[in-house]
Amino acid sequence: MKLLTSFSRSISIITLSVLGLTACGSDDDNDNTSITPPLVEISEAEIRVIHAGSDAPLVDVLANGSSFVDDVDYAMSSGLTTVPSGNYAVAVDAQLPDGTTTTVLTADLDAEADVEYTAVALGNVADNSLMLKLIANPEQEIADNYARVQVLHASPAVGLVDIYVTEPGADISMMQPTLSANYMDASPQLEIPAADYQIRITASGDKGVVYDSGSVPLADEGDYFISAIPNTGSGMSPVALLVALPEGQLLLNDKSSGSDIRVVHAVADAPAVDVFLDGSTTAAVTNLMFKGIAGYVNIPEGEHTATVAANVDNNIIVIDKAPFELALGDSYSILAVGSLTDNDIEPWIIMESPRKVATEAKLTVSHAAYSAPNVDIYLTASDDIANATPALSDVPFKASSGSLSVAGGDYVVSVTVAGTKNVAIGPLAISLDSGGIYGVAAVDTDTSGVFDVILLDDFVSTE
């Protein structure tokens, strides 16, 4: 048997030396008494925090006014932390894009000894339904050759569901579900033999599978707290499974989630193109012109190749079977960058972050201008950058900012040659809305001037 976590430990808190006591009336009688130190039992509990609020920002968690865990993002678990039992005032502080925080959730927790507590932030910021769900379980042993599983329905847009936990490939058409759950329902802790399993979710009373984990190993004496959370990645499933472990977590996407990709034509001196995947003779994208954006399509995760040919004559190939690899559940932009004149065109893959956050705009800025040197990028309230500090400095060709958290509002984007105030792109007036996703790619131009931009996602110029 294995004890997952010891909550009660006995320690010695005092050591007394042998005292030489001189008896009254006698100089020779010494009574040396050895005193055994008392043992004090330390009373402890364990707490973890899970972020399952799909439109909430990074959060910090405080206990009695002190930091408990910082920088918890969506689909993350803090892992189990041992704390003295007692009363805790728990606060969840949202990180705002201006660097400040605001308290969005509070709860009082009376943490009892030998109990494991899981606090799950779930619901939505946008409709004020964000809340803390608290699940308490007594500390228990897990039998040899068994795993322990507990399931929480943490997806507010999904109603009553049936959950099947079976051996891989089992036919569920005549089976009763392992359990049924509505939003915010938590199952009991279930002990099942350690083995490979398949987890499938259907609407209540229906056998049409809306989530399929594929084969998943549950380890001997493994302890799994599984939350069905909103799917903010690729694929059609409404949920993904967040598996919280005693230390850390893993995310199980539906096995058919694939990867979402879009193609962006960022080569100013190249004609309209067709894009072929994996050697197919049928184009996945056709007649994509400079600054054109092909909307997201879903393809299987894994290794692929891309071939880009002129639309007018597919025998004119500018990118020939360039390899790339995609991860399950992720989204990507594939930009064709470079110069046809220099016979130097290649694909550039950027991972995108499609999850919308109610308290901020998300902005990605990418340097796709082949002929441009390193640049500084300014995001300011006006077009005056004389005393401004760049939001991004010394950005080289084929570098991307990643997803930046920005307060909603009106801004001006200016791109200068690195280390100077000489504006090469812009000033470009833009509006960003909280909850929006925005992308800007700096490119060469095929018209006038030197450089241009491609606006992506929800980006809308106010010009």
Side-chain angles (χ1 to χ4, degrees):
M1 308 288 283
K2 177 181 177 182
L3 190 62
L4 287 181
T5 308
S6 175
F7 296 97
S8 300
R9 302 179 179 90
S10 295
I11 65 170
S12 174
I13 62 170
I14 186 170
T15 301
L16 300 179
S17 62
V18 176
L19 300 179
L21 302 180
T22 303
C24 294
S26 174
D27 292 333
D28 296 325
D29 280 340
N30 291 328
D31 183 9
N32 295 329
T33 304
S34 176
I35 300 177
T36 302
L39 296 179
V40 176
E41 187 176 82
I42 292 181
S43 177
E44 293 178 330
E46 286 202 329
I47 302 174
R48 71 175 151 211
V49 178
I50 294 173
H51 187 334
S54 62
D55 69 344
L58 284 169
V59 299
D60 302 329
V61 182
L62 293 82
N64 292 339
S66 298
S67 174
F68 179 71
V69 61
D70 294 333
D71 301 326
V72 183
D73 204 352
Y74 178 63
M76 285 183 60
S77 168
S78 66
L80 289 169
T81 299
T82 301
V83 298
S85 60
N87 296 317
Y88 291 91
V90 178
V92 178
D93 286 359
Q95 296 184 17
L96 302 179
D98 63 1
T100 64
T101 61
T102 184
T103 299
V104 292
L105 294 173
T106 60
D108 292 321
L109 171 62
D110 183 11
E112 298 181 4
D114 303 344
V115 177
E116 174 188 292
Y117 296 90
T118 298
V120 185
L122 42 66
N124 294 304
V125 173
D127 62 8
N128 295 314
S129 65
L130 193 69
M131 64 170 292
L132 274 178
K133 169 77 173 179
L134 187 66
I135 298 99
N137 293 299
E139 181 234 13
Q140 299 180 76
E141 295 178 338
I142 300 176
D144 288 341
N145 303 315
Y146 278 78
R148 181 162 62 207
V149 176
Q150 188 169 24
V151 178
L152 170 68
H153 185 334
S155 188
V158 178
L160 184 64
V161 297
D162 293 335
I163 302 170
Y164 298 82
V165 183
T166 70
E167 64 181 19
D171 182 1
I172 66 171
S173 61
M174 301 301 293
M175 284 186 183
Q176 292 297 312
T178 308
L179 56 98
S180 297
N182 214 334
Y183 176 52
M184 294 182 59
D185 286 346
S187 76
Q189 291 182 316
L190 307 173
E191 287 201 5
I192 58 179
D196 291 344
Y197 289 89
Q198 187 172 5
I199 303 170
R200 282 167 282 188
I201 300 175
T202 74
S204 178
D206 194 342
K207 296 297 182 177
V209 175
V210 297
Y211 172 87
D212 187 343
S213 70
S215 182
V216 176
L218 298 183
D220 180 18
E221 300 178 62
D223 191 7
Y224 305 95
F225 186 94
I226 303 176
S227 301
I229 63 173
N231 175 29
T232 60
S234 63
M236 298 299 294
S237 178
V239 300
L241 297 187
L242 175 61
V243 183
L245 306 169
E247 296 182 0
Q249 75 286 312
L250 59 91
L251 186 67
L252 294 178
N253 294 101
D254 178 90
K255 70 173 188 176
S256 300
S257 292
S259 306
D260 286 342
I261 65 167
R262 65 179 174 188
V263 179
V264 181
H265 188 330
V267 182
D269 62 352
V273 297
D274 297 339
V275 181
F276 300 84
L277 298 176
D278 302 323
S280 173
T281 57
T282 301
V285 177
T286 61
N287 200 30
L288 188 66
M289 303 182 69
F290 174 55
K291 297 178 63 175
I293 306 164
Y296 281 109
V297 295
N298 186 266
I299 66 174
E301 75 282 3
E303 297 179 350
H304 297 273
T305 63
T307 298
V308 179
N311 171 258
V312 295
D313 183 355
N314 286 169
N315 291 315
I316 303 174
I317 296 174
V318 294
I319 298 176
D320 189 14
K321 295 181 181 177
F324 62 96
E325 188 169 359
L326 307 174
L328 181 72
D330 286 340
S331 300
Y332 305 83
S333 290
I334 303 178
L335 284 74
V337 297
S339 169
L340 180 63
T341 303
D342 292 345
N343 194 29
D344 186 12
I345 299 178
E346 59 182 330
W348 176 31
I349 299 179
I350 300 172
M351 182 176 288
E352 300 289 357
S353 179
R355 182 175 75 91
K356 294 179 180 290
V357 178
T359 55
E360 64 193 42
K362 295 169 70 173
L363 173 65
T364 301
V365 181
S366 305
H367 185 340
Y370 173 79
S371 64
N374 289 14
V375 298
D376 294 337
I377 300 171
Y378 294 83
L379 190 66
T380 55
S382 73
D383 59 7
D384 182 5
I385 63 169
N387 298 311
T389 300
L392 300 168
S393 299
D394 202 23
V395 180
F397 174 56
K398 291 203 308 179
S400 178
S401 67
S403 183
L404 304 174
S405 297
V406 181
D410 296 329
Y411 296 91
V412 175
V413 176
S414 303
V415 181
T416 71
V417 175
T420 77
K421 298 291 186 178
N422 300 324
V423 176
I425 301 174
L428 176 68
I430 59 171
S431 289
L432 307 178
D433 292 329
S434 294
I437 306 290
Y438 302 89
V440 179
V443 294
D444 294 300
T445 184
D446 64 347
T447 54
S448 60
V450 180
F451 303 110
D452 205 341
V453 295
I454 300 174
L455 301 179
L456 301 101
D457 303 303
D458 299 328
F459 220 133
V460 178
S461 173
T462 60
E463 292 184 334

